[in-house]
Amino acid sequence: MTWIKVASKDDIQEGNGKELNINGQRIALFLSKNKYYAIEALCRHQDGSLAPGKVNGEIVECPLHFWHYNIRTGELLDYMEGIKLTTFPVQIRKNEIYLDI
Ligand code: FES
């Protein structure tokens, strides 16, 4: 396991996402209903970033053409079965957010 400090809690507001670039890897970090989620940032449709997408509970909507993903499991929820983005475990230590990458 490699835990990397990626942000502080103040960097992200409830109901929003933030795109991170961790060693060249684009990851979307979300805070939704007081839980943090980290998922590969790029939509499998046309590489839109999910970070500015609308979040509702565990579901994010891609802002480009509105595909939906579960941000806990990475699963695409419409159009095709079996498509899954990578998700990353999140840990909060004091005021800092760490991901296991
Ligand atoms: S790029 Fe995400 S739905 Fe098209």
Side-chain angles (χ1 to χ4, degrees):
M1 286 202 167
T2 310
W3 291 97
I4 298 178
K5 184 168 103 180
V6 297
S8 83
K9 283 169 76 180
D10 304 332
D11 294 336
I12 182 160
Q13 309 299 319
E14 172 61 39
N16 284 302
K18 177 183 172 61
E19 184 166 324
L20 309 168
N21 186 322
I22 311 295
N23 303 326
Q25 196 172 3
R26 291 172 67 181
I27 294 173
L29 177 69
F30 292 101
L31 174 59
S32 180
K33 300 209 178 354
N34 279 322
K35 280 189 74 177
Y36 291 88
Y37 301 87
I39 180 170
E40 208 181 322
L42 299 187
C43 177
R44 286 289 155 80
H45 179 221
Q46 290 183 1
D47 284 348
S49 174
L50 298 174
K54 249 194 257 158
V55 193
N56 185 1
E58 292 186 344
I59 312 299
V60 65
E61 181 178 78
C62 178
L64 294 194
H65 318 97
F66 317 117
W67 284 19
H68 297 87
Y69 293 87
N70 181 308
I71 54 177
R72 180 176 53 81
T73 65
E75 224 176 318
L76 174 67
L77 300 174
D78 23 37
Y79 303 109
M80 279 170 275
E81 276 182 27
I83 293 191
K84 226 174 172 184
L85 299 178
T86 305
T87 56
F88 304 90
V90 182
Q91 249 187 26
I92 306 301
R93 300 182 198 164
K94 296 195 175 145
N95 204 38
E96 311 295 341
I97 303 171
Y98 287 76
L99 301 187
D100 180 11
I101 306 223

